[in-house]
């Protein structure tokens, strides 16, 4: 057992020895070198043959790891030392740092080297408040960490960046850090960062934020052919000032870099051919280079002492001097710039040592300003600077020829016109005009002297007998008279029928073109004026050279909404000849005036609207047509769109009777006018009224015919419904004779037997006969006399009783004798008067009595007798065949058949028992009877 333990101990010691023998040696002689400005810590050591090392950096007081990584660092070939630089996020002064290293060879590592400490400003021996970094300059957009070391006994509260509280991290007992990102440009005095306690500011620092220098475009040149001047541009301001601003050196010599925003310049006394510019500041530096030969970089200076000599109306001489003698032999090219009335022209001259120039093509009586600049003729580099401006004025000269035209407002009268000369054409102030009119036929010359403000001369051709005139106009100024302007005026300007068309305004004028004319020996003239003007019109024109067949008529006087007439004339020795005309608007507008004299009238059932054309000055555009609106309250309803401008009327159809309002509007391509309102009250049309009546009558006739046809086809039904069948009276014997007297024997029972009966039965009927008188009249006697019978229809009119107290009887009698055509005459009794006794029952009871059927009239009792009692024998006989003929009784008061068609007469008289009505009633009843009879005959006219 002991031996086993011994062997284990031996093996363990052997393994430990072997491991110690193979482990790399630890780093030795570790040194720390801080660079506070860049916050870098340089660590160097001796590490033997190892190439990998573990580096650990701790904050000493709190033992917090700041950095712990394995690095591969090679040894310096000369010193055999390993060196590595570490950049701290915080300033190195903020707190003490502990650094140690160990060598590593794969999985094997050495022991840690002795800890090296970089003392910070928070050590106990330094008991004052401090802040780092101090007055640091950083680039725009960078990240910056500040730390505050609080004095012993003070209580830290916050850290403020430009017055804004920052998030703070504690590094040690007295040290605190805060980080600000994306730094913005500071003010020239810098941005303040302070550290405060609960009572006051402990300490602070200033931060400057700017840019590194960025010069560009270094160019060196010479002005005097000896020295050199180098220029460059700064792309942006560094935002750093004072001692922190950018410094420059040119070929190693300090240079102020005088600012000529945005160009900077620096000069040297001698030309060297190669130049190096170095720009630097706290944030960085930049180098620029340039090289060139002197003759290739000549930038001439400005000419001096500029002078104008021998000034004329059309030319002058210009001289100048050079500041450096080397220019006298240098080949130069120079520009002379002339300015007159804001119009600039440039003339170029060249030569060795050039110092003068002659200026031609100047304008008389014109004010000029002139300046000059030059450049090297050979190896031209750039133009030199402009000289100071020199002013001078040219002399006057005679005016240019006038532009003359004639405008005729009638066959005999017109005006001679000429345009005022432009300032450059006057060549001096115009003092007046001279106009001469010469008649070749009459050889007569008329001269007119006019002031400088008059540009027209009235013409009256009626005062001359010649066929044409020749007009000449000249202008005069202090230098002389202008060349004459001549125009031939025909004695009569005829207006032939020439083509006319429309022209549209384009861009700045009216484009006109035409066919070439052989008789236009001196070109063409295009004249234009306001088309609505007839007298004293403002006329403008332009002349076109021969061979040209188009022109753009331009004028500053063109106005919107005004129609212009353009006339093309051929210019010849015989005078102007009209060739063609155009009309157009610069801009069309809606008509300014409504259509005039709008009228409205009724034409039968239609409405005729009429109007007149709008005056030319009120159209303001080409009239494309008219629109007609029906006005309802405030709404306009379009009823017609007339596209023919020549149509000045319109007929509106289909309007109902009543008041109608219309609005008539003319329209152009720009819109409508305000409208002309008219109204009318549409009255009923007589023809239509007649037509309505005829249609109504026709409709009624058709309905009547239709009803008649239907009734005819349905006549049996109508007859049964309105005229039911009534049985005809059954009469004994043959009654089918023609009308005439018929002699028959009287019935043996034609005498009414009078029976004394003290009681009157009103329900029984009886005829009372009057006492017989000894009347020997014809037809009366004891013997039976002849009875005359007439078979005829009698009037169906109701019969009124003619005797006192006989109303009821006559009504009953009439009711019982309805629809009979039997008339009795010649039956007489001894009594001269027939008295009918009143009945106690009504007509219906009478017709429904036991006697039944039709009953003849009977004689009444003698006057003074009471109501008779019918004898039993008589009553019995009255109902039997021995009682005589009794017609049937079928009429009732409530019968639907209608009025009685006839009535029997009395047995003692030829008069009807029922009296006739008044004459007025007879007429009405006669008409009704006729209609009833006609309708009855119609229904009975045929059989189906």
């Amino acid at each position: 057992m002991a031996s086993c333990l011994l062997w284990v101990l031996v093996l363990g010691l052997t393994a430990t020895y072997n491991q110690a023998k193979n482990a790399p040696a630890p780093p030795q002689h570790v040194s720390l070198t801080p660079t506070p400005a860049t916050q870098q810590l340089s660590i160097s050591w001796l590490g033997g043959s190892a190439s990998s090392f573990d580096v650990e950096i701790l904050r000493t007081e709190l033992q917090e790891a700041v950095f712990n990584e394995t690095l591969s660092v090679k040894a310096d070939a000369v010193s055999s030392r390993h060196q590595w630089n570490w950049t701290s996020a915080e300033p190195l002064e903020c707190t003490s740092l502990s650094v140690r290293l160990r060598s590593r060879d794969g999985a094997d590592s050495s022991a840690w080297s002795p800890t090296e400490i970089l003392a910070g400003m928070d050590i106990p021996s330094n008991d004052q408040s401090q802040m780092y970094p101090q007055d640091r300059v950083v680039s725009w957009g960078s990240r910056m960490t500040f730390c505050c070391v609080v004095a012993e006994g003070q209580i830290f509260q916050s850290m403020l960046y430009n017055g804004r509280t920052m998030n703070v991290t504690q590094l040690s007992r007295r040290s605190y850090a805060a980080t600000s990102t994306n730094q913005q440009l500071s003010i020239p005095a810098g941005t303040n960062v302070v550290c405060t306690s609960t009572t006051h500011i402990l300490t602070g620092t200033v931060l400057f934020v700017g840019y590194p220098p960025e010069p560009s475009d270094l160019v060196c040149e010479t002005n005097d052919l000896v020295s050199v001047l180098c220029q460059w541009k700064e792309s942006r301001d560094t935002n750093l000032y004072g001692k922190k601003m950018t410094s420059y050196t040119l070929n190693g010599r300090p240079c102020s870099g005088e600012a000529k925003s945005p160009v900077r310049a620096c000069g040297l006394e001698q030309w060297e051919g190669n130049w190096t510019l170095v720009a630097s500041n706290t944030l960085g530096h930049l180098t620029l280079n340039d090289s060139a030969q002197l003759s290739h970089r000549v930038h001439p200076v400005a000419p001096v002492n500029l002078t104008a000599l021998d000034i004329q109306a059309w030319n002058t001489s210009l001289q100048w001097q050079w500041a450096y003698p080397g220019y006298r032999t240098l080949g130069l090219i120079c520009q002379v710039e002339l300015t007159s009335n804001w119009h600039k022209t440039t003339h170029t001259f060249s030569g060795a040592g050039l110092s003068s120039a002659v200026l031609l093509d100047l304008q008389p009586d014109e004010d000029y300003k002139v300046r000059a600049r030059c450049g090297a003729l050979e190896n031209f580099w750039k133009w030199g600077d402009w000289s100071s401006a020199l002013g001078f004025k040219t002399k006057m000269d005679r005016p240019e020829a006038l532009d003359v035209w004639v405008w005729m407002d009638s066959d005999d009268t017109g005006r001679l016109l000429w345009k005022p000369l432009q300032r450059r054409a006057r060549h001096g102030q115009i003092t007046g005009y001279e106009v001469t009119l010469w008649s070749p036929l009459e050889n007569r010359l008329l001269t007119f002297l006019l002031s400088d403000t008059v540009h027209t001369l009235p013409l009256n051709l009626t005062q001359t007998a010649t066929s044409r005139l020749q007009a000449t106009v000249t202008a005069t100024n202090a230098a002389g008279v202008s060349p004459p302007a001549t125009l031939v005026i025909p004695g009569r300007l005829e207006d032939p029928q020439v083509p006319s068309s429309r022209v549209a305004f384009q861009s700045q004028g009216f484009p006109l073109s035409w066919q070439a004319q052989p008789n236009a020996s001196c070109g063409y003239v295009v004249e234009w004026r306001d088309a609505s003007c007839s007298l004293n019109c403002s006329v403008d024109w332009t002349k076109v050279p021969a061979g040209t067949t188009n022109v753009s008529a331009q004028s500053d006087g063109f106005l919107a909404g005004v129609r212009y007439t353009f006339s093309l004339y051929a210019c010849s020795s015989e005078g102007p000849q009209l060739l063609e005309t155009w009309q157009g608007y610069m801009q069309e507008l809606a008509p300014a005036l409504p259509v005039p004299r709008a009228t409205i009238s009724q034409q039968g059932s239609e409405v005729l609207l009429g109007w007149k054309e709008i005056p030319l000055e009120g159209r303001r555009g080409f009239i494309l047509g008219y629109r007609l609106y029906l006005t309802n309250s405030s709404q306009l309803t379009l009823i017609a769109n007339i596209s023919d401008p020549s149509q000045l009327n319109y007929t509106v159809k289909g309007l109902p009777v009543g008041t109608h309002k219309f609005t008539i509007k003319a329209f152009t391509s720009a819109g409508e006018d305000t409208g002309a309102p008219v109204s009318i009250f549409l009255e009923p049309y007589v023809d239509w009224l007649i037509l309505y009546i005829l249609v109504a009558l026709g409709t009624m006739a058709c309905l009547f015919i239709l009803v008649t046809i239907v009734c005819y086809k349905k006549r049996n039904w109508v007859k049964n419904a309105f005229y039911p069948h009534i049985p005809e009276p059954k009469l004994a014997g043959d009654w089918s004779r023609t009308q005439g007297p018929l002699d028959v024997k009287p019935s043996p029972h034609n005498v009414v037997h009078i029976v004394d009966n003290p009681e009157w039965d009103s329900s029984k009927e009886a005829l009372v006969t009057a006492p017989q008188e000894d009347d020997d009249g014809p037809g009366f006697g004891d013997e039976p006399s002849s009875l005359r019978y007439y078979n005829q229809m009698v009037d169906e009119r109701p019969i009124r009783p003619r005797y006192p107290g006989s109303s009821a009887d006559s009504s009953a009698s009439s009711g019982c004798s309805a629809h009979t055509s039997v008339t009795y005459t010649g039956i007489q009794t001894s009594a001269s008067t027939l008295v009918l006794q009143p009945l106690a029952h009504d007509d219906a009871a009478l017709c429904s009595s036991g006697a039944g059927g039709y009953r003849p009239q009977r004689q009444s009792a003698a006057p003074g007798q009471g109501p008779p009692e019918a004898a039993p024998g008589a009553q019995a006989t009255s109902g039997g065949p021995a009682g005589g003929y009794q017609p049937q009784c079928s009429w009732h008061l409530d019968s639907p058949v209608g009025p009685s068609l006839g009535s029997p007469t009395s047995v003692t008289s030829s008069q009807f028992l029922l009296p006739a009505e008044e004459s007025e009633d007879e007429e009405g009843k006669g008409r009704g009877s006729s209609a009833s009879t006609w309708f009855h005959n119609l229904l009975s006219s045929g059989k189906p």
Side-chain angles (χ1 to χ4, degrees):
M1 184 65 180
S3 62
C4 290
L5 294 174
L6 180 62
W7 278 105
V8 170
L9 178 61
V10 171
L11 292 176
L13 292 173
T14 303
T16 302
Y17 174 78
N18 292 333
Q19 183 177 6
K21 182 179 179 180
N22 297 329
Q28 298 177 1
H29 305 291
V30 178
S31 66
L32 303 178
T33 304
T35 306
T38 58
Q39 298 181 185
Q40 285 187 345
L41 177 63
S42 178
I43 305 173
S44 64
W45 66 94
L46 291 173
S49 60
S51 60
S52 297
F53 302 92
D54 294 335
V55 180
E56 184 179 59
I57 302 176
L58 305 174
R59 294 191 181 103
T60 304
E61 187 172 338
L62 300 180
Q63 288 297 297
E64 293 177 348
V66 179
F67 183 84
N68 188 357
E69 293 183 10
T70 299
L71 305 174
S72 177
V73 182
K74 293 181 179 181
D76 184 71
V78 177
S79 62
S80 299
R81 293 184 67 85
H82 299 270
Q83 183 177 354
W84 176 72
N85 295 326
W86 173 69
T87 302
S88 173
E90 299 90 11
L92 298 177
E93 299 92 343
C94 292
T95 186
S96 299
L97 298 175
S98 299
V99 179
R100 63 179 183 172
L101 300 90
R102 66 182 178 184
S103 302
R104 177 170 293 280
D105 184 9
D108 298 331
S109 61
S110 68
W112 290 103
S113 66
T115 302
E116 296 292 329
I117 297 176
L118 178 66
M121 302 305 294
D122 59 346
I123 57 178
S125 60
N126 187 4
D127 59 353
Q128 299 298 319
S129 296
Q130 302 174 62
M131 195 163 189
Y132 299 97
Q134 280 292 320
D135 302 334
R136 179 70 59 85
V137 178
V138 298
S139 299
W140 175 85
S142 62
R143 176 188 178 95
M144 191 65 189
T145 300
F146 305 91
C147 69
C148 174
V149 179
V150 181
E152 292 287 353
Q154 297 291 335
I155 300 176
F156 173 81
Q157 182 182 22
S158 63
M159 195 178 296
L160 303 178
Y161 178 90
N162 199 24
R164 186 179 70 252
T165 302
M166 304 171 67
N167 295 325
V168 177
T169 301
Q170 187 172 4
L171 304 180
S172 66
R173 181 177 59 87
R174 295 170 51 202
S175 181
Y176 299 87
T179 301
S180 174
T181 60
N182 194 20
Q183 300 295 325
Q184 299 301 309
L185 294 177
S186 61
I187 61 176
T191 301
N192 293 325
V193 182
V194 297
C195 178
T196 64
S197 67
T198 56
T199 58
H200 62 282
I201 297 176
L202 299 175
T203 184
T205 185
V206 179
L207 183 68
F208 298 92
V209 182
Y211 298 105
E214 289 187 1
S216 62
D217 302 332
L218 176 64
V219 175
C220 297
E221 59 189 16
T222 182
N223 299 122
D224 57 3
L225 306 179
V226 176
S227 63
V228 63
L229 178 66
C230 295
Q231 295 179 337
W232 64 91
K233 294 180 181 178
E234 281 288 351
S235 59
R236 62 186 177 188
D237 185 10
T238 61
N239 199 52
L240 300 176
Y241 307 96
K243 296 180 180 181
K244 301 175 182 62
M245 67 184 304
T246 304
S247 62
Y248 301 93
T249 61
L250 182 63
N251 286 355
R253 284 164 284 194
C255 181
S256 63
E258 182 182 355
K260 296 180 180 179
S261 182
V263 177
R264 292 181 177 269
C266 184
L268 298 177
E269 294 181 355
Q270 293 294 325
W271 185 272
E272 297 181 5
N274 295 293
W275 304 274
T276 300
L277 176 70
V278 177
S280 60
N281 65 12
T282 309
L283 300 177
H285 69 277
L286 188 66
T287 301
L288 298 176
N289 297 291
D290 187 30
S291 62
Q293 297 180 11
L294 185 145
S295 61
H296 292 182
R297 295 288 180 90
V298 176
H299 182 194
V301 294
V304 295
N305 300 327
L306 207 63
T307 306
L309 303 175
D310 191 19
I311 300 174
Q312 301 297 323
W314 299 95
N315 57 75
T316 188
S317 296
L318 188 67
Q319 289 185 352
W320 62 87
Q321 296 178 355
W322 293 109
Y324 301 107
Y327 283 73
R328 297 174 183 174
T329 58
L330 180 65
L332 297 172
I333 180 171
C334 298
Q335 286 183 337
V336 177
E337 181 184 79
L338 287 169
T339 304
S340 174
N341 291 315
W342 309 103
H343 178 71
K344 293 183 179 182
T345 58
T346 302
H347 304 267
T348 303
F349 308 90
S350 62
L354 188 65
S355 61
S356 65
V358 177
L359 303 179
L360 303 176
D361 300 326
L362 302 180
Q363 292 294 323
D365 195 39
E366 189 77 18
D367 291 318
Y368 287 97
K369 285 186 178 181
V370 61
R371 62 178 184 169
R373 67 178 180 178
C374 298
L377 184 60
E378 297 180 1
N379 302 316
F380 180 83
W381 165 242
K382 62 173 66 173
W383 288 109
D385 298 331
W386 286 105
S387 67
S388 301
L390 171 68
F392 65 93
K393 185 175 183 178
T394 57
K395 295 180 179 180
M396 290 192 298
D397 196 6
R398 68 173 188 167
E400 296 180 4
L402 296 168
D403 187 0
V404 182
W405 181 241
V406 62
W407 184 73
M408 305 299 294
D409 53 17
S410 67
D411 289 341
D412 301 319
T413 60
R415 289 182 295 156
L416 183 65
L417 308 171
W418 58 91
K419 292 183 179 180
L421 291 172
Q422 299 296 323
R423 189 184 58 81
R424 286 202 168 190
R426 292 196 297 261
H427 301 165
Q429 181 63 41
I430 299 297
T431 58
Y433 299 97
E434 180 178 322
V435 181
T436 60
L437 299 178
W438 179 59
S439 174
L441 183 62
E442 300 178 355
N443 195 21
R444 185 174 61 171
L445 184 66
L446 298 177
T447 302
F448 303 89
L449 297 178
L450 305 174
S451 68
D452 60 319
T453 59
V454 177
H455 305 99
T456 180
L457 178 67
L459 298 176
N460 190 346
L461 301 183
T462 59
Q463 300 176 358
T464 63
T466 182
S467 60
R468 63 176 186 168
L469 292 175
Q470 180 174 309
T472 302
V473 184
T474 59
T476 305
N477 66 6
V481 179
S482 69
T486 304
L487 180 70
V488 176
I489 306 173
R492 298 290 185 270
L493 280 183
E494 298 181 357
D495 187 10
Q497 295 297 326
V498 296
S500 180
S501 57
R502 293 182 181 179
V503 61
F505 185 85
Q506 295 181 2
S507 185
Q508 297 180 349
F510 291 89
L512 307 175
S513 60
W514 58 88
Q515 297 294 328
Q517 299 295 325
N519 60 342
S521 58
C522 55
Y524 304 90
V525 177
V526 176
E527 168 199 282
W528 62 86
R529 60 180 178 84
D530 186 346
S532 62
C533 180
S534 58
L535 294 175
N536 297 325
C537 301
S538 176
V539 181
D540 201 354
W541 67 92
T542 183
K543 292 185 177 180
V544 182
T548 302
T549 58
N550 61 81
V551 72
S552 177
Q554 299 180 356
S555 174
D556 295 335
F558 286 142
L559 300 176
V562 177
R563 181 184 295 188
Y564 294 95
T565 298
F566 299 87
S567 302
L568 174 66
Y569 292 89
C571 178
S572 66
S573 59
E574 300 297 325
Q577 179 183 356
L578 181 62
L579 301 178
E580 189 175 351
T581 62
W582 298 268
Q583 286 191 339
Y585 290 87
M586 186 191 77
Q587 179 184 355
E588 291 195 46
L589 304 175
L593 301 175
V595 294
R597 290 184 283 177
T599 60
I600 186 170
S601 61
Q602 181 175 352
Q603 302 289 336
S605 62
E606 302 171 347
V607 172
L608 177 63
L609 299 174
W611 58 91
K612 298 298 181 182
E613 290 185 342
I614 299 177
L616 187 58
E617 61 273 12
R619 297 179 189 177
R620 303 204 300 177
F622 292 109
I623 300 297
L624 301 180
Y626 302 91
R627 294 190 179 108
L628 277 61
Y629 295 90
L630 182 63
T631 306
N632 296 321
S633 300
S634 59
Q635 295 182 348
L636 297 179
T637 303
L638 180 64
I639 60 175
N641 191 350
I642 302 173
S643 58
D644 182 8
S646 62
Q647 181 178 342
L648 301 178
N649 57 72
Y650 183 79
T651 300
V652 184
K653 301 178 181 180
L655 294 175
V657 175
T659 301
H660 300 278
K661 296 181 180 180
F662 301 91
T663 301
I664 306 171
K665 293 186 176 183
F667 65 93
T668 65
S669 61
E672 301 175 338
D673 63 19
T674 56
V678 291
S679 63
I680 190 173
F681 179 78
L682 192 61
E683 298 180 350
Y685 183 42
V686 177
D687 293 347
W688 280 107
L689 182 60
I690 296 175
L691 181 60
Y692 292 153
I693 295 174
L694 293 177
V695 170
L697 292 177
T699 303
M700 293 178 62
C702 292
L703 290 176
F704 181 76
I705 294 173
L706 180 62
V707 171
T708 303
I709 293 173
V710 172
C711 291
Y712 179 76
K713 290 186 176 183
K714 301 292 184 178
R715 56 187 174 275
N716 289 335
W717 177 84
V718 175
K719 180 179 179 182
N720 293 332
F722 294 98
Y723 291 92
H725 177 69
I726 301 175
E728 296 180 357
K730 304 297 183 178
L731 302 178
D734 185 10
W735 292 84
S736 59
R737 294 186 180 181
T738 59
Q739 183 176 351
L742 179 64
D743 294 333
V744 293
K745 292 182 180 182
S747 173
H749 301 284
N750 61 351
V751 178
V752 179
H753 296 279
I754 302 173
V755 179
D756 293 333
N757 190 353
E759 297 180 1
W760 172 257
D761 187 359
S762 61
S763 63
K764 296 182 179 180
E765 300 175 353
L767 293 177
V768 181
T769 59
Q772 295 185 356
E773 298 178 357
D774 295 335
D775 188 0
D776 294 334
F780 293 95
D782 295 333
E783 294 296 328
S785 60
S786 177
L787 179 62
R788 297 178 180 177
Y789 173 78
Y790 292 88
N791 183 15
Q792 64 179 8
M793 292 293 294
V794 296
D795 195 350
E796 63 182 0
R797 292 175 296 179
I799 304 174
R800 297 180 181 178
R802 295 178 180 268
Y803 306 100
S806 61
S807 174
D809 293 273
S810 59
S811 299
S813 174
S814 175
C816 294
S817 61
H819 289 31
T820 181
S821 60
V822 179
T823 302
Y824 301 94
T825 59
I827 302 177
Q828 299 179 356
T829 62
S830 59
S832 60
T833 306
L834 177 63
V835 179
L836 297 179
Q837 299 298 326
L839 300 178
H841 301 283
D842 56 10
D843 297 341
L846 178 61
C847 293
S848 61
S849 62
Y854 178 81
R855 295 182 180 179
Q857 302 296 328
R858 300 179 181 178
Q859 290 179 325
S860 61
Q865 295 181 358
E869 278 186 20
Q875 180 136 4
T877 9
S878 68
Y885 176 76
Q886 298 179 356
Q888 299 297 322
C889 178
S890 61
W891 184 85
H892 301 278
L893 289 176
D894 56 351
S895 173
V897 177
S900 174
L901 297 178
S903 178
T905 57
S906 173
V907 296
T908 59
S909 173
S910 62
Q911 300 293 328
F912 287 109
L913 295 179
L914 300 180
E917 294 182 354
E918 301 293 335
S919 60
E920 182 179 351
D921 296 337
E922 291 177 359
E923 294 178 2
K925 290 298 182 177
R927 289 192 297 270
S929 175
S930 300
S932 300
T933 304
W934 176 83
F935 193 64
H936 178 75
N937 293 338
L938 174 65
L939 297 178
S940 303
S941 60
K943 301 294 182 181

